[in-house]
Amino acid sequence: MKFERKQFLEDVTKILSADFAVTLEEAGKKELYQAVSKAVMTEVFPDWQACKRQSGKRCGYFSAEFLMGRAIFNNLLSLGILEDVREALASVREDLNEFEEVEDAALGNGGLGRLAACYLESAASMDIPLDGYGIRYRYGLFRQTFENGYQKEEGDDWLKWGDPWSVRVEREAKIVRFADMDVLAVPYDMPIFGYRNGVVNTLRLWSSEPIRAFDFEMFDKMKGENKAVENFHATKICDVLYPNDNTMVGKMLRLRQQYFLVSASLQDIVTKLKAEGVDLHDLPKRYCFQLNDTHPVLAIPELIRILRAEGFSFEEAFGVAGRCFNFTNHTIMAEALERWDALALSDLIPSVYEQILACQNRLDEEAGGDSRFFIIREGTVHMANLAIYVSSKVNGVAEIHTNILKRETFRDWYERYPEKFVNITNGITPRRWLLLNNPRLAALIDGKIGSAWHTDLSRLSLLKPHLGDMLSDFKEIKGENKARLAAYIKEKEGVEIPAGFIFDVQIKRLHEYKRQLLNALSVLAYYFGVKDGTYRDLPPTAFIFGAKAAPGYYMAKAIIKFINEIANLVNGDKTVSDRMRVVFVQNYDVSYAEKIVCAADISEQISMAGMEASGTGNMKFMLNGTVTLGTLDGANVEICEEAGADNNYIFGATVDEVAKVKHGYAPEKLLEADPVLKRAVETLIDGTFPDEKGMLKRLYASLTTGYEPDRYLVLHDFADYMRVKTKLLYDYGTDEFFMKCLVNLASAGKFSSDRSVKDYADLIWHI
Ligand code: 26W
């Protein structure tokens, strides 16, 4: 984008006067933020219009979550005007960094939502016509604070600063029909800028509204009548994002959200094609759809329903759907595979349910009654099965994950339709996750190999001959990033991390399988070890955690409480203060991640092997020159393939070993055999920590008793984890160690989401 300072400041001044009746001098931060953003939006409008009008085949990325984070810095970077705007504002004594207070758009839970955001950015940068379709939740993922060590949730008012990067497109509103009411779906379009290439794709987020402007008087009169009041609430479909990650809760409101999203999106696309005069039999020539996990899978029967209403036979409609849809699976956890009660579904959207039944009948005929293949069984609709049956392609998100899908999770389906299954290893956008969050490191790389890596990350391998020369600058930059993070943590969390400490980081959603508990137990082991002399000379280390727990996930919340108590104990004990600090940062989100990732020395990726589909945080750390302390799980496996296992720190049971260990597993024997482990685990019940609510006691029980004690093999992997982690801590600081960091950076090329979206475009979308 061309940038002229004088013109820009004039535009900003005009918007300030028209929208807020203030001058540039009088404007507050929020007003200025809106005016600056809008001034840019005005400029890019022609490019955006041109991209929207292109006539080739497009892909719709259907997702219940888009975890976009903060837009302004990324957008300015993509447009190539970040520094220009910074200088223009500085010339009128404003500081662009003030906009770091702008709320993240946190319309997602974790990996799946952030992946969608990276893919949109990469597709635009690679000039791939991909548009996102999602829900404009009024409240995104909750804001987290800690009170007395317990997680507290508050509503996330992400629109507090306004939403200048969206445009409400009321004239393209659609009506979504449920059995009990009709709802208006109003689109808000967000431009997705390609990196310095003039491409502007679209993220279209639907907002639900009552069809008639809300009538308060009517509402007042109807208060007594349950149905009407219920309807009023039901029009609030988009009020809030479900804060679940990995557990399926069969809530009707969630089902409404899912249907709302796919019905509005498909009506939108079909309407536009019809207006262009396209024969809907040719739909697959113009569109394909990527289903981001099962959440938008109702799109399949919805499209069939729409086509039948247009006069298609079921077979014709099924054929078109089969050529349009593709399905990505993001987890093998049984509790996360979506299933819906068939009665509830048929009550809410009867004509859609009819199409699901028709698919089931077709499958019955095709599979000759083989009972392994079903969509509806015992009154439950299995969304993954519906997706696999109809879709052209089904993909997992890392090699090991796709293999597990083929071998286990969807084995029967794979046997029947082997050609459907493909792997597309996840990726991350190097613009947000290196250029933007770590500009000095990016500049150091530019200085060695030029800037072509910005859009071709494989070129990082060209750094390999230069790594030795980069060492001292790299250390200096990492040190500065660490100092900045330490200052931020001091301000936000009140915990001081002294200079020279190792930053050992685990940031991700809280889940038992991700094993933050394993990390916590190691911290206790080091603490007792420092005190009793075993680790008298422990390299000074800050153990940094960040994670939100689903509000209804008891064990996850117990783990947060446990770690916060450990932090209290360690940080309050002067005798260890030159060796250890522990901090659990509050409200971990995309913007916090940007600050942490560039400052980490150790990336903890310690899930039980087989459980983490891919992970993408692991890639972010790698790209910023951080070694992984991890299991052979998800994309860690491929990270080791690229960077070498000896440049990372691998421990623990492999997938095959997990299966074996689980036979006759006896965690109590492990406890008895290992006094260090026992001491750490018993703090859960021996009064070391206050436990008013009995949470820690239940955590202890989850490790030692019940149907499947220590389900995620925390105790089994503990000794090997300690061994490797201790080696890592003692390796830290040598040139040899920093070379490992740099080898990781130089080997991160594969993990660009540019590569991922191109793989999708080649193997699946054919665009
Ligand atoms: C029905 C509730 C629910 C909500 C979210 C079920 C499942 C999910 C997601 C599948 C959870 C998720 O975000 N999975 C993560 O997806 C990332 C992107 O592919 C992977 O990198 C992570 O390994 C995976 O946990």
Side-chain angles (χ1 to χ4, degrees):
M1 189 180 135
K2 272 211 325 291
F3 186 85
E4 284 179 47
R5 181 187 295 184
K6 192 159 156 281
Q7 182 65 47
F8 174 75
L9 288 173
E10 271 170 33
D11 290 350
V12 170
T13 307
K14 264 191 215 154
I15 295 168
L16 283 173
S17 62
D19 284 8
F20 306 107
V22 292
T23 63
L24 191 55
E25 290 71 38
E26 291 165 348
K29 248 188 272 185
K30 268 188 203 175
E31 292 150 348
L32 195 62
Y33 163 68
Q34 297 214 18
V36 166
S37 310
K38 280 196 174 163
V40 176
M41 284 287 268
T42 320
E43 282 295 306
V44 298
F45 181 72
D47 278 352
W48 196 7
Q49 272 315 78
C51 288
K52 277 190 176 180
R53 295 217 173 102
Q54 274 170 0
S55 58
K57 181 174 171 183
R58 302 188 74 82
C59 178
Y61 198 89
F62 286 7
S63 178
E65 305 188 9
F66 286 92
L67 189 42
M68 302 299 286
R70 210 174 270 141
I72 183 157
F73 300 109
N74 191 253
N75 287 353
L76 297 179
L77 178 82
S78 299
L79 294 167
I81 58 171
L82 182 60
E83 292 317 311
D84 296 311
V85 171
R86 191 188 302 286
E87 283 162 24
L89 289 179
S91 75
V92 291
R93 289 172 307 282
E94 300 287 351
D95 180 358
L96 186 67
N97 284 353
E98 296 274 330
F99 299 153
E100 288 205 2
E101 278 175 45
V102 177
E103 307 292 319
D104 279 19
L107 308 185
N109 274 284
L112 158 142
R114 183 55 232 173
L115 186 77
C118 282
Y119 281 3
L120 292 184
E121 197 275 348
S122 274
S125 295
M126 297 295 106
D127 197 8
I128 294 169
L130 176 79
D131 295 316
Y133 291 85
I135 298 173
R136 191 172 190 264
Y137 301 105
R138 178 63 190 79
Y139 295 93
L141 189 62
F142 63 88
R143 292 186 61 85
Q144 176 200 53
T145 56
F146 298 141
E147 238 172 50
N148 194 20
Y150 296 105
Q151 168 174 293
K152 255 195 69 187
E153 302 99 23
E154 279 160 36
D156 161 63
D157 185 11
W158 71 283
L159 292 168
K160 215 157 55 192
W161 283 68
D163 184 18
W165 297 102
S166 292
V167 183
R168 179 181 166 95
V169 192
E170 201 159 323
R171 26 187 222 114
E172 296 186 14
K174 297 285 172 293
I175 293 174
V176 175
R177 298 188 190 284
F178 296 94
D180 58 349
M181 62 170 173
D182 295 346
V183 183
L184 196 66
V186 183
Y188 285 71
D189 285 357
M190 233 181 241
I192 306 293
F193 303 114
Y195 182 65
R196 300 189 178 204
N197 64 356
V199 174
V200 191
N201 287 339
T202 303
L203 169 58
R204 174 158 275 200
L205 298 178
W206 297 98
S207 175
S208 64
E209 294 179 13
I211 290 187
R212 265 180 300 268
F214 182 65
D215 183 338
F216 276 96
E217 213 175 310
M218 267 262 270
F219 179 64
D220 213 43
K221 278 194 215 129
M222 296 189 308
K223 251 185 200 151
E225 300 165 44
N226 273 336
K227 178 96 177 148
V229 174
E230 200 181 293
N231 280 359
F232 167 70
H233 288 299
T235 57
K236 302 231 160 228
I237 290 170
C238 299
D239 265 5
V240 63
L241 166 80
Y242 273 89
N244 292 321
D245 186 87
N246 284 324
T247 46
M248 157 78 193
V249 191
K251 288 269 160 55
M252 285 303 271
L253 182 58
R254 186 174 164 92
L255 187 58
R256 277 192 205 269
Q257 289 184 342
Q258 297 186 350
Y259 182 63
F260 174 78
L261 158 63
V262 301
S263 178
S265 306
L266 287 170
Q267 287 185 55
D268 184 32
I269 288 162
V270 167
T271 312
K272 278 186 186 146
L273 290 178
K274 279 174 68 181
E276 272 182 49
V278 174
D279 177 346
L280 291 178
H281 291 91
D282 291 336
L283 184 66
K285 292 190 189 141
R286 294 297 304 278
Y287 261 98
C288 60
F289 307 112
Q290 194 65 38
L291 302 171
N292 201 22
D293 218 278
T294 53
H295 319 157
V297 165
L298 283 172
I300 293 174
E302 173 66 358
L303 180 63
I304 297 176
R305 181 194 70 78
I306 292 174
L307 294 176
R308 293 187 77 177
E310 295 283 336
F312 282 51
S313 69
F314 173 74
E315 270 311 307
E316 278 178 310
F318 184 91
V320 168
R323 278 177 288 144
C324 286
F325 286 108
N326 303 290
F327 165 59
T328 307
N329 170 278
H330 294 267
T331 181
I332 62 155
M333 296 205 64
E335 52 270 53
L337 292 182
E338 283 192 310
R339 288 160 279 116
W340 293 104
D341 181 61
L343 268 179
L345 223 156
S346 66
D347 273 353
L348 191 69
I349 33 176
S351 51
V352 176
Y353 183 70
E354 265 174 43
Q355 313 310 323
I356 299 177
L357 270 180
C359 290
Q360 167 75 66
N361 291 336
R362 191 180 189 282
L363 174 61
D364 280 344
E365 265 172 42
E366 204 183 301
D370 184 335
S371 66
R372 294 173 304 162
F373 299 99
F374 59 87
I375 295 166
I376 308 170
R377 188 152 89 179
E378 290 169 5
T380 304
V381 185
H382 294 250
M383 301 310 282
N385 292 0
L386 174 59
I388 299 170
Y389 177 49
V390 184
S391 293
S392 292
K393 295 284 186 223
V394 176
N395 77 286
V397 291
E399 290 288 352
I400 189 175
H401 169 60
T402 302
N403 288 335
I404 293 172
L405 293 182
K406 291 179 183 173
R407 260 201 336 257
E408 278 157 52
T409 323
F410 301 136
R411 182 178 61 210
D412 298 330
W413 292 97
Y414 174 61
E415 251 171 47
R416 190 173 176 87
Y417 306 106
E419 71 290 344
K420 287 196 189 204
F421 286 75
V422 292
N423 174 251
I424 311 263
T425 297
N426 281 168
I428 56 167
T429 166
R431 270 76 62 185
R432 186 179 289 263
W433 298 108
L434 185 50
L435 277 167
L436 204 62
N437 75 324
N438 203 346
R440 283 196 64 201
L441 183 55
L444 176 65
I445 299 168
D446 285 353
K448 299 291 175 205
I449 60 170
S451 58
W453 63 271
H454 297 183
T455 49
D456 177 6
L457 203 64
S458 68
R459 295 177 68 90
L460 285 183
S461 64
L462 299 173
L463 286 172
K464 285 184 181 157
H466 302 287
L467 299 182
D469 316 334
M470 291 171 67
L471 212 54
S472 73
D473 285 335
F474 175 74
K475 282 192 243 178
E476 208 260 311
I477 292 166
K478 180 84 83 176
E480 186 187 282
N481 293 341
K482 287 170 70 171
R484 195 168 343 102
L485 176 62
Y488 189 77
I489 286 179
K490 170 89 186 121
E491 179 198 326
K492 294 279 168 189
E493 325 297 341
V495 176
E496 191 155 348
I497 304 174
F501 271 47
I502 302 172
F503 283 22
D504 175 349
V505 176
Q506 189 174 18
I507 46 173
K508 47 184 78 257
R509 279 300 287 264
L510 216 136
H511 202 289
E512 288 162 282
Y513 84 74
K514 295 179 187 280
R515 300 200 295 192
Q516 283 94 348
L517 181 55
L518 176 59
N519 190 349
L521 292 172
S522 82
V523 174
L524 276 173
Y526 288 125
Y527 173 71
F528 293 130
V530 169
K531 289 189 82 76
D532 73 16
T534 322
Y535 297 115
R536 188 178 301 112
D537 58 350
L538 185 80
T541 305
F543 300 92
I544 299 170
F545 295 84
K548 289 179 181 176
Y553 188 174
Y554 184 92
M555 282 305 164
K557 289 182 140 178
I559 292 168
I560 289 182
K561 169 71 174 168
F562 185 42
I563 297 173
N564 277 326
E565 287 303 333
I566 295 172
N568 266 341
L569 174 71
V570 171
N571 300 343
D573 184 341
K574 288 218 166 52
T575 67
V576 303
S577 63
D578 57 341
R579 298 283 142 201
M580 303 177 68
R581 291 299 147 91
V582 182
V583 57
F584 204 132
V585 305
Q586 300 174 84
N587 202 42
Y588 169 63
D589 60 5
V590 172
S591 289
Y592 220 139
E594 290 169 19
K595 293 193 163 66
I596 295 175
V597 160
C598 62
D601 294 307
I602 302 173
S603 157
E604 299 253 4
Q605 308 299 338
I606 60 176
S607 51
M608 182 178 83
M611 296 307 300
E612 191 69 271
S614 162
T616 45
N618 46 3
M619 303 171 183
K620 292 162 196 162
F621 287 107
M622 181 193 200
L623 183 60
N624 282 266
T626 307
V627 295
T628 297
L629 169 56
T631 49
L632 285 178
D633 197 15
N636 299 352
V637 176
E638 288 158 77
I639 286 177
C640 287
E641 277 167 20
E642 297 296 309
D646 44 345
N647 288 310
N648 288 292
Y649 291 82
I650 301 304
F651 73 94
T654 61
V655 170
D656 292 342
E657 286 162 3
V658 163
K660 282 186 206 126
V661 171
K662 286 211 159 188
H663 262 317
Y665 184 50
E668 66 286 353
K669 287 197 187 125
L670 289 168
L671 279 179
E672 288 319 313
D674 183 345
V676 174
L677 175 60
K678 188 175 159 82
R679 172 124 199 241
V681 171
E682 289 201 334
T683 61
L684 288 165
I685 47 165
D686 67 7
T688 305
F689 303 122
D691 186 23
E692 307 86 351
K693 302 185 185 175
M695 276 184 135
L696 303 186
K697 206 158 91 202
R698 279 182 59 182
L699 199 49
Y700 180 85
S702 81
L703 290 174
T704 52
T705 57
Y707 168 70
E708 203 183 358
D710 190 19
R711 189 167 163 202
Y712 299 107
L713 303 187
V714 169
L715 305 184
H716 176 269
D717 276 351
F718 179 79
D720 203 31
Y721 179 55
M722 284 301 292
R723 178 182 68 79
V724 175
K725 186 167 184 169
T726 304
K727 169 153 179 25
L728 167 47
L729 293 175
Y730 283 87
D731 279 358
Y732 177 84
T734 60
D735 279 358
E736 204 183 321
F737 176 82
F738 287 111
M739 281 302 279
K740 291 184 193 223
C741 299
L742 284 172
V743 171
N744 274 283
L745 163 59
S747 309
K750 176 176 181 183
F751 304 106
S752 169
S753 43
D754 298 346
R755 189 270 310 147
S756 309
V757 294
K758 284 195 281 185
D759 285 353
Y760 276 96
D762 292 345
L763 294 172
I764 300 184
W765 306 332
H766 307 297
I767 44 177

